Structures are given as structure tokens and as C-alpha cells.
Amino acid sequence: QVQLVESGGGLVQAGGSLRLSCAASIGIFRRYSMGWFRQAPGKEREFVAATDWSGLNTDYSDSVKGRFTISRDSAKNTVYLQMNSLEPEDTAVYYCALDSSYPLRSPQRIGSWGQGTQVTVSS
């Protein structure tokens, strides 16, 4: 049973930064791709960023490219999402995702989800 626990969400003003963390309770974390999705009220869950098992390959949605950075620390079984230059449109619940495949752009194909962490960006 995989458990993904997110942290780091909160309220920030436009232009500010937040860093999300996701700790995975899985023994072979290094073999899995990790990613972040988000879901705003009334909208479908959408892809934000992902990294493959090695951490050397990353993928970003066009809306966050250049502002967000995904990274992983396999020694800590943790993936991070550094979010800079936040905009009110980034307000959503952010979900950590884990899967054996890569890329991770399709929510329907994700094997495991975290519980979500709220990010609110005020204008």
C-alpha cells in the first residue's frame, strides 16, 4: 500500500513562492515516476509537472513552465514542487501522483494519489 503525504500548501500573494513536498512510503521509490496535478473548483484535475524515476527528465504544463520546478530526493523518498511567480490562476488543490509509467500527463493513468494540499494565491 503506497501512501503519499503532501505538505507546504497555504495562502500567498500574487508574485510569491511556495514549495510543496510529497513524501512517499514505498520501498522502491526510486523506480517510480512522480508528478503533481491540480484541481480548481469546478474544473477537472490537470497535469502540472512530473519527473521520471531518475530525476533527470522533467515535464511541465505550458501554464507553469518557467515558474515551477519539480525535483526529487530519492534518499528521502520525497518529491518537491517549487512554485515561483505565483498567480491567482494557480489557486487549486495540488495532488501528488506516483506511477510506474512516464510521462504522467493523464490523470486517468495514475496509480496512486496523495490527499491534496490547498494553494491559494491572492491578487
Side-chain angles (χ1 to χ4, degrees), residues 42-88:
K43 295 188 177 181
E44 295 185 350
R45 192 168 298 190
E46 65 174 5
F47 168 75
V48 175
T51 177
D52 72 353
W53 67 272
S54 71
L56 298 178
N57 296 297
T58 56
D59 186 23
Y60 297 93
S61 68
D62 289 342
S63 61
V64 307
K65 195 174 295 183
R67 300 188 297 122
F68 291 10
T69 302
I70 188 170
S71 61
R72 65 189 294 162
D73 184 339
S74 293
K76 297 181 179 181
N77 281 10
T78 300
V79 65
Y80 304 97
L81 185 68
Q82 178 66 44
M83 305 186 293
N84 298 329
S85 301
L86 282 161
E87 303 167 353

Side-chain angles (χ1 to χ4, degrees), residues 3-10 19-24 33-51 68 70 79-81 83 90-99 104-108 110-119:
Q3 282 192 320
L4 303 175
V5 180
E6 300 104 331
S7 60
R19 188 176 82 153
L20 305 183
S21 300
C22 173
S33 300
M34 300 291 296
W36 292 92
F37 289 72
R38 66 187 182 187
Q39 189 166 16
K43 295 188 177 181
E44 295 185 350
R45 192 168 298 190
E46 65 174 5
F47 168 75
V48 175
T51 177
F68 291 10
I70 188 170
V79 65
Y80 304 97
L81 185 68
M83 305 186 293
D90 295 317
T91 295
V93 177
Y94 283 69
Y95 295 92
C96 179
L98 177 148
D99 199 78
L104 295 182
R105 286 190 168 239
S106 175
Q108 290 74 23
I110 297 301
S112 299
W113 293 101
Q115 82 285 355
T117 185
Q118 177 70 46
V119 171

